[in-house]
Amino acid sequence: MANTFFITGTDTEVGKTFVTRALMQAGKEAGKQVLGYKPVASGCELINGELKNEDALALQAESSIKLPYAMHNPYAFAPAIAPHIAAEQAAEPIEPARITEGLARLKETTADWIFVEGAGGWRLPLGQGRFLSDWVKKEHIPVILVVGARLGCINHALLTLEAIRHDGLVVAGWVLNRADAHMSHYEENAATLKALIKAPFLGELPRLTEEEISTAVSYIDPAPLLK
Ligand SMILES: Nc1ncnc2c1ncn2[C@@H]1O[C@H](COP(=O)(O)OP(=O)(O)OP(=O)(O)O)[C@@H](O)[C@H]1O
Ligand SMILES: C[C@H](N)[C@H](N)CCCCCC(=O)O
Ligand SMILES: [Mg+2]
């Protein structure tokens, strides 16, 4: 039976996908078969008649098992906006049951670890008064938080952790990602986060150049996930 982890972040564009890929690579290095799942994606382009999202394509590429794109990304909306608004515009309501069905199909494979990447931050509206966090709660999925290191991230990180725990979920770990290479007093902020966040620390990723991207996995310690 696969272990499933939900990847959330302190905001959009903080490195959820970037870190998920590194986590997947760390899983493979630990001998795990891994799959990535992006249930709800906005900011998609039409490729061979199918709307595809760069996050979902990245997770598909990193997956150990080759599956059709649609199994990685059931909801793909073209505009790079809040998905619930895109869904309304497309007259395609986001149904949690379909997200569940997609995850169930991935669990039928030989995957050991399934990483589910959210969109935006923890409280992502799906429309009809529902949130993606409601689905995570219903599925009882442990959560990994990606903290994007930028001014204001301490508040965002602590409030996100409060919300995850208020929703009754386990924080399986957290990663500090250098989202803003120019953040001032980075080391002091990192020390503050490490002191305040009571959850397994899975690693700290510096801002990597294109040439260094393949080293991202070396900054991840998956040990807390292997327990
Ligand atoms: N540590 C890093 N070093 C270099 N580039 C990074 C790093 N972290 C993130 N990036 C780049 O910053 C951009 C935003 O990262 P990413 O797409 O992973 O954010 P995200 O949280 O997944 O965004 P979204 O909410 O849209 O899913 C991407 O181009 C990514 O490759
Ligand atoms: C388009 C962007 N990159 C993300 N995929 C979607 C971000 C949704 C944010 C919703 C919100 O909290 O305001
Ligand atoms: Mg992403």
Side-chain angles (χ1 to χ4, degrees):
M1 186 67 171
N3 284 341
T4 306
F5 303 100
F6 186 85
I7 311 294
T8 193
T10 43
D11 199 349
T12 183
E13 294 293 303
V14 294
K16 295 188 299 293
T17 305
F18 193 85
V19 168
T20 300
R21 292 192 69 176
L23 287 165
M24 293 174 78
Q25 289 165 15
K28 286 187 278 190
E29 287 184 0
K32 304 292 182 184
Q33 289 210 325
V34 301
L35 281 175
Y37 186 44
K38 178 84 175 185
V40 179
S42 58
C44 300
E45 61 176 279
L46 210 52
I47 300 173
N48 299 328
E50 190 179 7
L51 278 173
K52 294 188 176 179
N53 168 262
E54 66 175 352
D55 291 6
L57 287 166
L59 301 184
Q60 180 185 32
E62 207 60 64
S63 292
S64 309
I65 305 159
K66 294 309 160 202
L67 299 171
Y69 175 85
M71 288 182 72
H72 294 278
N73 176 216
Y75 285 104
F77 300 105
I81 61 175
H84 73 291
I85 299 170
E88 175 93 24
Q89 283 184 346
E92 186 184 358
I94 300 170
E95 295 300 340
R98 191 166 147 204
I99 300 175
T100 299
E101 160 61 24
L103 180 59
R105 291 190 62 196
L106 299 182
K107 285 182 175 177
E108 288 166 1
T109 69
T110 54
D112 301 301
W113 281 0
I114 299 171
F115 292 95
V116 184
E117 184 192 346
W122 180 242
R123 282 282 187 258
L124 182 87
L126 296 179
Q128 290 84 38
R130 294 184 291 223
F131 295 90
L132 186 53
S133 52
D134 297 334
W135 176 80
V136 182
K137 181 177 177 179
K138 178 173 173 294
E139 297 293 325
H140 304 291
I141 304 172
V143 182
I144 293 171
L145 172 63
V146 176
V147 178
R150 58 168 69 117
L151 190 58
C153 70
I154 297 170
N155 169 58
H156 288 165
L158 297 179
L159 288 178
T160 300
L161 289 165
E162 270 185 41
I164 293 166
R165 288 170 168 145
H166 178 267
D167 288 347
L169 294 167
V170 169
V171 178
W174 71 284
V175 176
L176 179 56
N177 183 49
R178 197 78 184 260
D180 173 2
H182 307 297
M183 180 183 197
S184 74
H185 295 82
Y186 169 80
E187 294 305 334
E188 294 88 335
N189 278 279
T192 302
L193 286 161
K194 290 170 186 174
L196 291 173
I197 295 178
K198 308 303 181 202
F201 182 56
L202 301 178
E204 182 172 0
L205 274 78
R207 194 78 190 173
L208 298 172
T209 63
E210 271 309 305
E211 296 71 33
E212 294 168 329
I213 293 237
S214 61
T215 69
V217 63
S218 66
Y219 296 93
I220 295 289
D221 172 14
L225 305 181
L226 292 163
K227 285 178 181 158

